[in-house]
Amino acid sequence: MKRIMFVCTGNICRSAMADFLFRKKLENLNLIKKAQVYSAGTYAYEGDMPTLDGINVMKNIYDIDMSKHRATPVRDSKIQEMDLILCMTNSHKN
């Protein structure tokens, strides 16, 4: 099973949205059992809620409820165990 992580700054919008969108894509393709998907933020505060704009976009456009998502700081994540890490910007990569 592949482990994939999306990384942004606060893990309350971009990386969280990418995480949920990718999971939905895997489900639609019947591949959800082939990967574990995570997200984290370089400056995230543990437990922060996603932005209201992010929640609304995900619900209204993609029919995905990400309201229960809570932010995870990279330092508290399983980043060392990932097979693929996708960063939103070069600064997140650095």
Side-chain angles (χ1 to χ4, degrees), residues 6-88:
F6 294 93
V7 176
C8 73
T9 305
N11 190 220
I12 57 172
C13 195
R14 292 174 292 177
S15 60
M17 292 172 76
D19 175 342
F20 278 77
L21 281 169
F22 193 66
R23 285 184 208 201
K24 183 173 183 171
K25 185 68 168 179
L26 290 173
E27 287 173 8
N28 291 343
L29 295 172
N30 235 4
L31 296 173
I32 194 65
K33 293 182 181 178
K34 301 230 181 229
Q36 293 176 331
V37 185
Y38 303 89
S39 62
T42 56
Y43 290 99
Y45 290 98
E46 180 73 40
D48 269 2
M49 294 177 60
T51 64
L52 290 178
D53 286 340
I55 290 171
N56 290 332
V57 165
M58 294 298 283
K59 185 65 180 163
N60 296 331
I61 296 177
Y62 302 104
D63 195 29
I64 296 173
D65 179 9
M66 72 171 217
S67 63
K68 290 182 175 52
H69 170 77
R70 295 298 176 263
T72 301
V74 167
R75 69 183 171 279
D76 298 333
S77 72
K78 300 176 181 182
I79 197 163
Q80 300 87 351
E81 301 172 16
M82 296 301 121
D83 296 301
L84 178 64
I85 301 165
L86 300 165
C87 300
M88 299 298 132

